[in-house]
Amino acid sequence: MFEFLKHITPRIKILSLSLILILLPGAIISYLSLKSIQEKADNQRVKYHGTANLVRDKLESELYQIETNFRNTIIDSLLKLESVADHQLLLQRINMEYPSIKNLTLLGNKGELITGFASSGLNKPPGSKSNLSSEMSSIISRAEKEEFINKNYPGAIGIYRKALSVATSLQEKAILHARIGRSYFKLQSYDKGILEYGKILEYGEESLSIGNIPATVVALYQKAEGYKELNESQDRKKILMELYQRLLYHPWDLQGGEYLFYLNSTIGAIREIEPSSTISSSEVAQMEQLKNLDEKIVTQSELILFLEDRIIEEVISGLNHLASSEIKHRTFTEQLIPTIELGYFLLPTTTQQPLFRALVFQFDEGYLLTQLFPQVLSTVELGKDIVPGILNENDSLLYFHNNHQVSGYLVAENFSQYFSRWKVALFERSGKSIEQLTGRERHLYLGLFIGILAVMLLGIVILARVMIHESEVSRMKSEFVSNVTHELKTPLALIRMFGETLDSGIVNEEKKRKEFYSIIRKESERLTHLINNVLDFSKIDTGKKDYNFEEADLVSTIRQSLEAYRFHIRDSGFEFDYKMPEEPVMASIDKDAISQAFLNLLSNAVKYSEERKYIYVEVRKESQSVIVSVKDHGAGIAKEELKKIFDKFYRVPNPMKKQPRGSGLGLTLTKHIVEAHKGKIEVESEPGKGSRFTIRLPLL
C-alpha cells in the first residue's frame, strides 16, 4: 500500500522534518497567546452581561409598576359596576388611560369573554325555533319541504304567507318575512325580496333574531345582496354603510365567527363598490373613523376566538393555582400562528361579579418599543460608546436607542419576567465586537496560529502529493523505458531479418529484392517515427519544440503517411478503407508533425484492436476547416478514462487479456501538435464498439 515511500528522496525527508521543527514551536506559542487573549475577552464579556442585566431589570421594573397601577385601577373601578355594558365602557376607558396595555378581556367562570368592543358567551339572542309554536313549526316545515325538496318556490311563498297571517309575535313574523324574501331571491324576483326584508327593519325591534343572528343584520345584508343582483350600486352602498355602522356600534356575541363573517363581508363589499362611486369628504372622514373602530373590534374578536379555540382551558386551569395578588404571564406559541404574550390575574372576591373571575390583558408591543422603552433607556448611563437595543427571538432588531444603526451586538440577555422571546442587547457605537475591543493582538495571534496550521497542512498535502507523484512518475518511466525498448526492437528485428536475407544472396529475383528493400525502408521510417516521438516529447517537456509551418497539401501528407504504414497494418492482419478528396486541400502545417500525429492515431488503432481488425481513415473538407479522422472497431474507451488519455505516460486499461505495448506518449504528442496548429482533437468512444479520433485543422 505504501510502496511509493520507497521512492522518496532524502531531500524530501529533510524538508519534511525541517518544516515540522520550524513551524511547531510557533504554533504552540501562538496558541498560548491566543488563549490568554480569550480569557481577557471572557472577562470583558462578563462585565457587559452584568450591565445588560441591569438595563433589563430597569425595563422590567417599569413594566411591573405599570402593571400594578393598572391592576389596582381595574379592581377599584369594578366595585361600582353592574351591567355588561358598564364593564365594556370601563375596559375602553382603561385602554385610553394605559396606552401600554391593550386587549383587556374579562374572563367568566364558564369561559365567557368580554372586551371593550366584543364578547363571547354573553348576550346570546334567543334561538328562533324555540319561540315558535307547534302549529307554526308544522306550517314552516311544510313550506320548507316545498322550498328545498320540491323547488316549488311560489308554493313555498304561499304557505309562508298563510303562516304570516296567523303569526302572533314579531319574532315569528320576522322569521317568515325572511323566508319569503329568500324564496323571492331564488325566483330572481329581487325587488319583491327586498321589500320583504325591509318589513323586518320596519319593526325596529333589536331583540328579534333569525337563528343566532340579529334579524336587522340579516335583513340589511340580504337587501344589499338584492341590490347587487339588480346592479343598483348607490342603494347597495347606502344599505351596506347602515349595516357596517350597526355592526360596529351594536356588536353581538361571537357565535362560531358569524359576527366577523358579516363584518368582513360588509367592509369587503363597501371597498368593492367605492371606486365606482363618488365619495364626499364627509364620507371619507366617516369611513376613516369606522375603519379605526373596525380594527379594534376585529383585533379583539380574533383574540377572543384564539382564546376560545386554543388556550382558554389552560388559562382557566392556571387560575386554580394563582394567588389572589399574583399576576401571571404566559407566552403561547403554535405553528403557523403568531406568538401571543398574555398576562392574567384573579379578581379579588369582593369585586368578582357572578360572571367574571379574572382579567386577561396584553402589553402593546408597538407602544413599548416606540414610546416607553426610549423614555426609560434615555435615563440609563452606559458610557458614551455603549448603546442599548431590543432583539426578538431571531436576533432581529426591534428597537435601537437614538436610531443609531450598527451590525452585531456585544452581549444579549433575555427578559426574565416579561416577553421571554425578547432580549436586551448592548452595542458598541462603531459596531465593534468584544473581540475587537480587547485589542488587535487577538486577531494577530489568531491569524498567525491559523496561518501556521494552514502552512503545515498545506506542506503536508504538497509533500504527500510530491511523494505520490514521484512514485508514479518513477513507475511510469520504468514502464516507458520497457515499452519503448520493445517498440524499437520490432522494426529493428525486421530490418535486420530482411537485410541478412538480402546479404545472404539467396534472393535472386529483382522484384523480390525490391520488395525487401521497400520493407526495410518503411520499417526504418517507422523506427524513425518512434524515435521522433521520444525526442519530440523531450523537446515539448522542456518547452523547446519548434514547428516548421508551410503551405502544403494536407491530403497528400496523409496519403503518404498511410502508404508508409500500410505494410505494418496489413502485416498485423487489418483491413482498412479510406476516403479522401481528389483535389488538394491546402493548409499551413508542419508536414512531419502532422504525419507523426496521424501515425500515432493509426498505431493506437492497431494496438487496441485484436478481434475486429478494421480501420477506416477519412479526410474531408468543411467550410472553415479540414477533418482527419481515424476510426477502429477495437476495445473502445470508458467514459471516465476519456479525460485522462492525453496525459503523458497514461495508458488506458485494456479489458483484453494481453496489454499491448506502448510508450504512453502518442496521444500527448498528437494533442500538442494539433493545438500548435490551432486545431482541435476530439474523441468518440464506447467500450466494445471502437473509437473515432478526429483532428480539426483550420484552412488557409
Side-chain angles (χ1 to χ4, degrees):
M1 181 178 178
F2 297 101
E3 186 176 349
F4 71 88
L5 294 175
K6 298 177 182 178
H7 303 285
I8 297 176
T9 63
R11 179 176 59 84
I12 293 180
K13 293 178 181 178
I14 294 172
L15 181 61
S16 304
L17 183 60
S18 300
L19 182 68
I20 294 173
L21 292 176
I22 292 172
L23 296 180
L24 187 58
I28 295 173
I29 294 172
S30 299
Y31 172 75
L32 294 176
S33 301
L34 188 62
K35 187 176 180 182
S36 174
I37 296 169
Q38 185 61 46
E39 291 176 356
K40 181 179 177 182
D42 290 341
N43 293 335
Q44 191 72 19
R45 186 177 287 106
V46 170
K47 176 183 175 182
Y48 284 129
H49 274 294
T51 304
N53 283 330
L54 292 175
V55 175
R56 177 202 63 198
D57 293 344
K58 188 170 183 63
L59 292 174
E60 290 194 330
S61 175
E62 187 69 23
L63 293 176
Y64 175 78
Q65 189 62 46
I66 292 173
E67 194 175 60
T68 303
N69 294 339
F70 145 73
R71 179 178 179 276
N72 293 336
T73 302
I74 283 285
I75 292 173
D76 292 341
S77 301
L78 284 174
L79 291 170
K80 309 169 186 176
L81 303 180
E82 294 181 1
S83 69
V84 171
D86 289 340
H87 285 82
Q88 286 191 301
L89 290 174
L90 169 65
L91 296 179
Q92 293 177 26
R93 179 174 64 82
I94 296 297
N95 260 329
M96 295 180 63
E97 291 181 10
Y98 292 88
S100 55
I101 303 292
K102 68 176 183 178
N103 293 336
L104 281 72
T105 307
L106 285 167
L107 172 61
N109 293 310
K110 298 180 180 179
E112 304 93 333
L113 297 166
I114 178 174
T115 70
F117 298 99
S119 65
S120 178
L122 298 167
N123 299 327
K124 293 184 179 179
S128 58
K129 291 187 178 180
S130 62
N131 291 317
L132 297 176
S133 65
S134 59
E135 180 184 0
M136 182 64 65
S137 297
S138 176
I139 296 174
I140 289 177
S141 295
R142 285 191 290 110
E144 287 178 341
K145 180 179 179 181
E146 291 298 321
E147 179 184 355
F148 294 108
I149 298 176
N150 298 329
K151 308 295 183 183
N152 180 13
Y153 305 124
I157 291 172
I159 298 174
Y160 284 135
R161 289 202 180 280
K162 179 182 177 181
L164 186 61
S165 65
V166 297
T168 59
S169 68
L170 291 180
Q171 179 67 50
E172 290 178 344
K173 291 179 180 180
I175 293 172
L176 291 168
H177 281 304
R179 280 165 167 72
I180 294 171
R182 182 177 66 194
S183 299
Y184 275 129
F185 275 14
K186 291 179 179 179
L187 287 171
Q188 297 184 358
S189 297
Y190 297 108
D191 288 328
K192 294 180 179 180
I194 289 171
L195 289 174
E196 292 297 326
Y197 285 113
K199 291 176 182 179
I200 298 175
L201 298 174
E202 291 175 2
Y203 293 141
E205 183 63 50
E206 294 293 338
S207 63
L208 300 178
S209 65
I210 298 175
N212 289 322
I213 303 170
T216 54
V217 172
V218 174
L220 289 170
Y221 185 82
Q222 293 300 331
K223 284 187 71 175
E225 290 296 302
Y227 284 129
K228 179 181 178 180
E229 296 296 333
L230 294 173
N231 199 24
E232 296 181 9
S233 60
Q234 289 297 331
D235 289 332
R236 182 188 177 204
K237 179 185 175 184
K238 180 180 178 182
I239 293 297
L240 286 172
M241 286 298 296
E242 183 180 349
L243 174 59
Y244 189 39
Q245 293 181 65
R246 184 177 294 272
L247 289 170
L248 293 179
Y249 291 111
H250 302 281
W252 80 86
D253 193 82
L254 292 173
Q255 292 292 311
E258 289 100 340
Y259 177 75
L260 287 180
F261 165 77
Y262 278 98
L263 188 61
N264 292 329
S265 298
T266 302
I267 188 61
I270 291 174
R271 289 171 181 163
E272 177 186 331
I273 63 175
E274 272 184 359
S276 61
S277 309
T278 302
I279 305 174
S280 65
S281 57
S282 60
E283 287 179 321
V284 171
Q286 182 187 21
M287 280 301 298
E288 190 64 30
Q289 182 180 3
L290 293 176
K291 286 178 182 178
N292 291 334
L293 180 58
D294 184 346
E295 290 176 1
K296 293 179 181 179
I297 292 175
V298 170
T299 299
Q300 294 185 8
S301 299
E302 289 176 348
L303 175 63
I304 287 177
L305 293 176
F306 179 81
L307 289 170
E308 287 182 326
D309 294 343
R310 304 281 178 175
I311 58 179
I312 191 67
E313 292 182 2
E314 185 175 346
V315 172
I316 294 175
S317 176
L319 292 174
N320 296 328
H321 307 285
L322 197 64
S324 58
S325 60
E326 182 182 1
I327 299 177
K328 185 73 172 178
H329 288 273
R330 286 294 308 276
T331 301
F332 297 92
T333 304
E334 296 187 27
Q335 192 174 10
L336 304 179
I337 297 176
T339 299
I340 289 184
E341 300 267 359
L342 289 181
Y344 51 90
F345 57 85
L346 283 170
L347 297 175
T349 306
T350 55
T351 63
Q352 285 185 11
Q353 303 294 327
L355 284 177
F356 304 126
R357 182 184 179 192
L359 188 133
V360 181
F361 65 95
Q362 290 180 279
F363 277 108
D364 189 331
E365 298 176 3
Y367 180 84
L368 296 182
L369 293 171
T370 59
Q371 301 294 327
L372 182 64
F373 284 180
Q375 293 176 10
V376 175
L377 293 175
S378 64
T379 64
V380 178
E381 293 292 336
L382 297 177
K384 63 178 183 179
D385 294 325
I386 305 301
V387 184
I390 305 296
L391 307 175
N392 65 10
E393 66 272 25
N394 299 319
D395 282 351
S396 297
L397 200 60
L398 298 175
Y399 163 77
F400 200 85
H401 193 51
N402 293 335
N403 295 322
H404 188 85
Q405 297 293 324
V406 295
S407 59
Y409 56 84
L410 298 172
V411 294
E413 285 292 336
N414 286 91
F415 279 73
S416 58
Q417 299 180 45
Y418 308 90
F419 304 107
S420 58
R421 55 201 172 91
W422 285 7
K423 304 173 186 176
V424 171
L426 298 183
F427 298 81
E428 203 275 333
R429 284 187 181 275
S430 61
K432 292 180 180 178
S433 64
I434 290 181
E435 288 74 14
Q436 291 172 320
L437 293 174
T438 55
R440 299 179 182 177
E441 62 270 19
R442 170 167 167 62
H443 298 284
L444 175 63
Y445 285 107
L446 178 61
L448 183 61
F449 179 68
I450 294 175
I452 291 173
L453 290 181
V455 170
M456 291 181 69
L457 181 62
L458 181 62
I460 291 170
V461 171
I462 292 174
L463 286 172
R465 290 176 63 88
V466 169
M467 294 174 188
I468 295 172
H469 179 72
E470 280 197 357
S471 174
E472 184 66 16
V473 169
S474 178
R475 182 191 63 78
M476 289 191 297
K477 283 183 177 179
S478 176
E479 186 178 330
F480 166 72
V481 171
S482 174
N483 290 337
V484 168
T485 301
H486 179 81
E487 290 287 306
L488 294 175
K489 283 182 179 180
T490 302
L492 284 174
L494 288 173
I495 291 171
R496 179 177 178 181
M497 180 184 71
F498 285 106
E500 288 177 349
T501 302
L502 290 171
D503 188 55
S504 65
I506 61 175
V507 179
N508 295 321
E509 297 180 13
E510 185 63 23
K511 182 178 179 182
K512 207 70 171 174
R513 289 167 63 88
K514 287 183 178 181
E515 182 181 351
F516 284 7
Y517 284 133
S518 176
I519 292 172
I520 291 172
R521 178 180 61 79
K522 290 177 181 179
E523 286 301 308
S524 65
E525 289 176 354
R526 193 161 74 90
L527 179 61
T528 300
H529 169 70
L530 293 172
I531 294 172
N532 285 339
N533 269 355
V534 177
L535 294 176
D536 285 346
F537 170 73
S538 177
K539 291 179 181 179
I540 291 171
D541 203 36
T542 57
K544 297 180 179 179
K545 173 65 178 175
D546 295 323
Y547 294 95
N548 183 25
F549 292 99
E550 60 179 324
E551 185 177 341
D553 180 10
L554 183 65
V555 175
S556 175
T557 301
I558 297 301
R559 184 178 284 113
Q560 291 174 9
S561 301
L562 185 61
E563 287 298 321
Y565 210 71
R566 182 191 297 270
F567 173 76
H568 179 71
I569 295 174
R570 288 187 173 173
D571 188 56
S572 299
F574 278 81
E575 295 181 6
F576 74 91
D577 290 325
Y578 63 89
K579 180 180 179 181
M580 301 183 191
E582 294 296 332
E583 69 280 2
V585 177
M586 306 304 292
S588 178
I589 59 174
D590 183 323
K591 292 192 293 184
D592 292 338
I594 291 297
S595 176
Q596 182 181 7
F598 173 68
L599 291 178
N600 284 338
L601 297 182
L602 282 179
S603 176
N604 278 354
V606 172
K607 289 177 185 177
Y608 290 92
S609 302
E610 285 199 353
E611 297 180 359
R612 303 168 65 190
K613 297 189 175 185
Y614 175 80
I615 296 175
Y616 176 71
V617 176
E618 181 181 10
V619 179
R620 70 178 186 275
K621 183 179 179 182
E622 294 186 347
S623 60
Q624 300 293 328
S625 59
V626 59
I627 306 300
V628 179
S629 65
V630 177
K631 181 180 179 182
D632 62 62
H633 292 172
I637 306 169
K639 185 177 181 180
E640 59 271 15
E641 301 291 334
L642 290 175
K643 61 183 179 180
K644 305 177 185 177
I645 60 176
F646 295 103
D647 295 344
K648 61 183 179 182
F649 302 131
Y650 185 80
R651 301 176 67 223
V652 178
N654 195 355
M656 298 184 299
K657 293 182 180 179
K658 184 179 179 181
Q659 180 78 4
R661 292 275 183 171
S663 64
L665 297 178
L667 289 178
T668 304
L669 292 170
T670 300
K671 184 173 184 292
H672 189 276
I673 291 169
V674 172
E675 290 179 349
H677 284 72
K678 299 181 181 179
K680 184 178 180 182
I681 184 168
E682 302 168 350
V683 58
E684 301 171 22
S685 186
E686 187 176 344
K689 295 186 179 181
S691 305
R692 178 195 293 270
F693 285 84
T694 302
I695 296 174
R696 294 179 179 272
L697 297 176
L699 292 170
L700 284 175

